[in-house]
């Protein structure tokens, strides 16, 4: 059974020095060490030969962060240590900001639809994040999806190892940290990534029935509805983003598993980033930890996106910011580490299928009297730029395409 409750593993501190020869020289990072403003870029830390050895040793276990926790580590190995400026939480500032929760159940009634379009437009134009209820994806499908991810990651290492790969030629890839060997700090997270639709035999048994069905519901029900609302919010007919811009053509699922972390103040679950997608629909369990960067009276601050029972989180990705000519905002977000866990989340990225990326052109939709703020670019160009700037906090791939 994998129905255990999340547990708290901070506390005890007998050291298991796995992959951790660097620890002795690493400086401690106090929890609230806000040494730099949150929007300042990180200094690049050199990737030393020793770090590479430690990364290889970790990667070769094919057991991910879950494997470390199962082995009983009570200290976070140094490969996972983030510099204080990216950990900084700052003194919590009082604010009244909440990510809006929008009920989509009435979008079929034309009288109410205009109101929902206005809510979606307001959220997409300001914070780039909102939660939706009444979204048409049944609770049975969301809970089955979370259980399937948990079921897979909690299988014995031998069962998961065949899926552990960094070969992007495979449509299903289980791994800890997509950019393990490129980033300067690893994250306390394992991921099962799926480009839909894979061949059924490519999917691990734990997800074989559940994941394609969940993806279908997100794409065909919620995705279609959201793209209709967003099209209208841009002053176009409801089918515009789906039919003329291909925003519903491809879907990838990143299923994340964030084990409880013994020293959550030293690392992150997911560092700050924007999404390389048109739109992302995120299913999160009840643990919490997702934060979005918002402007509070002129100063950037991290604000929680709290779990809301039955809700899905929606955010605008880079492709849609370009396509909406900056009207909709692709906003930075992150996941903090937690002593309580595991936390499970499933991000559905709406983006073109890989085969279409070199030819699918993203062009700004320009309102009358407005000027284009971006040059047109293919999905492939934007994705390449995305990976080029990745890791530089606060940098957006979109700047490269700005006119
Ligand atoms: C992502 C993401 C957030 C989460 O996968 O891009 O932002 O809560 N995930 O796991
Ligand atoms: Ni994201």
């Amino acid at each position: 059974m994998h129905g255990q409750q999340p547990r708290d593993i901070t506390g005890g501190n007998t050291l298991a020095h796995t992959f951790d020869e660097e620890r002795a020289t690493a400086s401690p990072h106090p929890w609230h060490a806000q040494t730099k403003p949150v929007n300042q870029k990180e200094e690049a830390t050199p990737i030393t030969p020793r770090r590479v050895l430690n990364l290889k040793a970790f990667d070769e276990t094919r057991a991910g962060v879950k494997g470390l926790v199962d082995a009983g580590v009570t200290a976070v190995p140094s490969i996972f240590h983030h510099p204080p400026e990216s950990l900084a939480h700052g003194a919590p500032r009082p604010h009244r900001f909440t990510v809006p929760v929008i009920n989509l159940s009435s979008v079929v009634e034309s009288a109410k639809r205009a109101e929902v379009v206005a809510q979606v437009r307001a959220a997409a134009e300001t914070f780039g994040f909102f939660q939706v209820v009444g979204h048409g994806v049944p609770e049975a499908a969301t809970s089955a999806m979370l259980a399937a991810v948990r079921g897979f990651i909690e299988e014995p290492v031998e069962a998961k190892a065949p899926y552990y790969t960094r070969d992007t030629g495979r449509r299903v890839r289980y791994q800890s940290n997509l950019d393990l060997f490129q980033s300067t700090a690893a994250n306390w997270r394992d991921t099962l990534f799926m480009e839909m639709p894979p061949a059924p035999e490519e999917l691990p048994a734990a997800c074989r029935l559940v994941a394609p069905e969940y993806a279908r519901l997100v794409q065909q029900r919620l995705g279609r509805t959201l793209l209709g609302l967003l099209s209208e919010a841009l002053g176009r007919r409801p089918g515009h983003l789906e039919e003329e811009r291909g925003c519903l053509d491809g879907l990838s699922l990143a299923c994340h598993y964030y084990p409880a972390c013994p020293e959550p103040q030293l690392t992150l679950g997911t560092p700050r980033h924007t999404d390389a997608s048109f739109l992302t629909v995120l299913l999160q369990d009840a643990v919490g930890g997702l934060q979005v960067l918002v402007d509070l009276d002129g100063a950037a601050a991290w604000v929680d996106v709290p779990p809301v029972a039955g809700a899905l989180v929606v955010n605008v990705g880079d492709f849609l910011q370009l396509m909406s000519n900056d009207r909709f905002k692709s906003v930075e977000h992150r996941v903090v580490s937690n002593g309580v866990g595991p936390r499970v989340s499933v991000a559905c990225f709406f983006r073109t299928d890989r085969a279409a990326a070199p030819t699918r052109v993203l062009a700004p939709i320009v309102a009358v009297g407005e000027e284009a703020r971006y040059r047109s670019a293919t999905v492939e160009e934007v994705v390449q730029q995305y990976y080029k700037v990745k890791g530089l906090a606060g940098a957006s791939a979109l700047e490269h395409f700005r006119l």
Side-chain angles (χ1 to χ4, degrees):
M1 273 304 285
H2 22 261
Q4 310 132 331
Q5 289 306 302
R7 60 200 177 106
D8 188 333
I9 64 163
T10 52
N13 212 21
T14 46
L15 221 56
H17 281 283
T18 329
F19 319 115
D20 205 19
E21 295 102 70
E22 278 175 303
R23 191 180 172 87
T25 54
S27 58
H29 307 313
W31 182 238
H32 287 307
Q34 174 134 22
T35 51
K36 288 186 184 177
V38 282
N39 49 8
Q40 192 152 342
K41 289 189 183 179
E42 279 168 33
E43 301 291 331
T45 318
I47 300 177
T48 60
R50 177 181 281 187
R51 176 175 178 84
V52 175
L53 283 179
N54 288 337
L55 292 172
K56 280 197 176 135
F58 167 67
D59 205 40
E60 280 163 11
T61 66
R62 299 177 162 246
V65 175
K66 173 75 166 85
L68 296 179
V69 171
D70 286 346
V73 292
T74 52
V76 167
S78 62
I79 55 171
F80 296 94
H81 289 186
H82 284 249
E85 61 272 20
S86 18
L87 293 163
H89 290 227
R93 299 214 341 252
H95 63 81
R96 273 175 293 160
F97 175 80
T98 48
V99 176
V101 179
I102 302 176
N103 190 337
L104 299 181
S105 59
S106 56
V107 291
V108 283
E109 300 167 47
S110 56
K112 297 217 176 118
R113 187 170 172 96
E115 201 178 301
V116 181
V117 169
Q119 289 175 332
V120 167
R121 179 195 293 125
E125 284 181 352
T126 50
F127 313 112
F129 266 77
F130 51 99
Q131 308 217 43
V132 290
V133 294
H135 46 61
V137 182
E139 201 279 329
T142 56
S143 55
M145 187 66 219
L146 291 173
V149 175
R150 193 163 172 172
F152 172 71
I153 302 283
E154 294 182 354
E155 274 175 33
V157 179
E158 314 78 73
K160 293 180 292 187
Y163 300 95
Y164 197 92
T165 181
R166 298 188 181 279
D167 174 3
T168 52
R170 283 169 64 177
R171 292 177 82 89
V172 177
R173 309 188 286 278
Y174 154 59
Q175 63 198 192
S176 185
N177 286 259
L178 174 71
D179 56 354
L180 187 69
F181 293 98
Q182 290 82 41
S183 72
T184 52
N187 305 302
W188 202 255
R189 177 185 90 240
D190 299 327
T191 299
L192 175 65
F193 188 81
M194 309 173 203
E195 282 175 50
M196 305 310 286
E201 62 275 13
E202 285 181 274
L203 283 171
C207 304
R208 200 164 289 159
L209 295 177
V210 170
E213 175 60 7
Y214 176 73
R216 188 188 68 78
L217 290 165
V218 168
Q219 195 172 21
Q220 301 303 325
R221 292 209 185 158
L222 177 56
R224 177 160 288 141
T225 303
L226 286 169
L227 290 172
L229 296 166
L230 289 161
S231 298
E232 286 184 67
L234 288 169
R236 301 289 156 131
R237 63 178 196 88
H240 186 76
L241 288 172
E242 178 184 341
E243 289 155 26
E244 280 145 64
R245 304 276 174 160
C247 297
L248 203 63
D249 287 359
L251 198 72
S252 293
L253 266 56
C255 308
H256 303 299
Y257 185 98
Y258 301 86
C261 182
E263 296 177 300
Q265 71 279 19
L266 297 183
T267 189
L268 286 170
T270 302
R272 61 188 292 181
H273 69 284
T274 59
D275 291 349
S277 62
F278 294 110
L279 210 61
T280 304
V281 170
L282 182 90
L283 164 63
Q284 62 169 338
D285 69 11
V287 173
L290 176 63
Q291 297 183 330
V292 55
L293 195 59
V294 301
D295 184 88
L296 292 176
D297 310 320
W302 291 106
V303 166
D304 291 331
V305 183
V308 170
L312 291 164
V313 180
V314 179
N315 66 283
V316 172
D318 285 4
F319 302 173
L320 190 57
Q321 178 170 330
L322 185 155
M323 218 178 235
S324 69
N325 208 27
D326 276 344
R327 271 187 76 177
F328 299 159
K329 305 286 185 299
S330 175
V331 172
E332 286 187 280
H333 50 286
R334 69 176 188 182
V335 180
V336 293
S337 281
N338 200 329
V340 177
R343 171 178 185 265
V344 176
S345 69
V346 177
C348 287
F349 301 110
F350 289 71
R351 52 187 172 212
T352 51
D353 192 72
R354 204 193 307 189
T359 51
R360 171 63 48 75
V361 174
L362 303 174
I365 298 170
V366 182
V368 184
E370 237 183 33
E371 283 186 11
R373 297 197 181 178
Y374 295 100
R375 69 173 173 87
S376 301
T378 64
V379 166
E380 185 166 270
E381 283 178 280
V382 177
V383 169
Q384 272 169 4
Q385 188 60 25
Y386 179 85
Y387 285 109
K388 218 182 244 177
V389 303
K390 198 173 150 75
L392 302 172
S396 165
L398 293 180
E399 292 314 309
H400 184 75
F401 304 95
R402 195 178 284 283
L403 293 170

